[in-house]
């Protein structure tokens, strides 16, 4: 098995996100009559490329990673992360995980801390989902994690 550096993985992931953003734009918006990308496509690709993954440390044990099924439940969870809108898809304990972005959702209070900020992470077992920042080492709003644009 070949060892791949975090920088290479980040570059590959960014390329994948750029491709996904390009596919997510309606076909009518992909190119002008001259074959050049439209402003909509350029904006989607630039937004995807600007997002950068980082690592965060979950300090607590038995922390739920929350997400929802596709369709309306997923959109509701994505719009406002909360215990009501997002069900547990994985559990993490005292580990470092990959973080994509953060946004405000339900206020969670635990162990003397409170936060409305939720970070979208990849659990070690694979599923992506939301973890409230109460359980992540750092401030209520993590300075090194981008705010979600969705």
């Amino acid at each position: 098995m070949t060892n791949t550096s975090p920088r290479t993985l980040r570059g590959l992931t960014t390329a994948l996100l750029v491709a996904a953003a390009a596919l997510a734009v309606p076909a009518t918006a992909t190119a002008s009559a001259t074959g050049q990308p439209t402003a909509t496509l350029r904006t989607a690709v630039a937004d995807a490329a600007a997002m950068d993954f980082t690592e965060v440390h979950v300090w607590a044990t038995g922390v739920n990673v929350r997400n929802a099924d596709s369709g309306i439940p997923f959109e509701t969870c994505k719009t406002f992360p909360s215990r009501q809108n997002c069900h547990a898809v994985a559990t993490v304990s005292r580990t470092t995980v990959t973080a994509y972005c953060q946004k405000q959702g339900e206020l969670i209070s635990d162990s003397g801390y409170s936060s409305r900020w939720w970070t979208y992470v990849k659990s070690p077992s694979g599923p992506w989902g939301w973890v409230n920042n109460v359980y992540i080492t750092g401030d209520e709003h993590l300075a090194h994690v981008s705010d979600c644009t969705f």
Side-chain angles (χ1 to χ4, degrees):
M1 181 173 183
T2 304
N3 288 336
T4 305
S5 73
R7 173 171 272 155
T8 300
L9 287 174
R10 187 176 305 119
L12 290 171
T13 304
T14 300
L16 179 63
L17 286 172
V18 168
L23 291 173
V25 178
T28 57
T30 58
S32 67
T34 64
Q36 296 298 312
T38 63
T40 303
L41 177 60
R42 286 191 304 268
T43 301
V45 171
D47 286 349
M51 296 302 286
D52 199 10
F53 293 89
T54 189
E55 291 185 337
V56 296
H57 182 75
V58 177
W59 61 266
T61 59
V63 176
N64 287 325
V65 178
R66 297 181 172 278
N67 212 332
D69 298 324
S70 62
I72 293 173
F74 175 76
E75 291 301 319
T76 303
C77 176
K78 181 178 80 168
T79 301
F80 190 80
S82 70
R83 292 173 291 183
Q84 180 178 344
N85 294 343
C86 314
H87 63 270
V89 296
T91 303
V92 293
S93 296
R94 296 184 181 159
T95 189
T96 299
V97 294
T98 300
Y100 179 63
C101 63
Q102 64 186 329
K103 72 181 319 180
Q104 290 191 20
E106 176 188 9
L107 175 66
I108 300 293
S109 297
D110 195 2
S111 302
Y113 301 100
S114 295
S115 180
R116 288 190 182 281
W117 287 92
W118 294 69
T119 298
Y120 197 66
V121 303
K122 182 177 183 193
S123 68
S125 61
W128 283 85
W130 298 99
V131 170
N132 187 276
N133 286 6
V134 159
Y135 304 108
I136 298 174
T137 302
D139 294 329
E140 179 184 15
H141 180 262
L142 303 170
H144 67 290
V145 178
S146 300
D147 288 351
C148 299
T149 57
F150 52 83

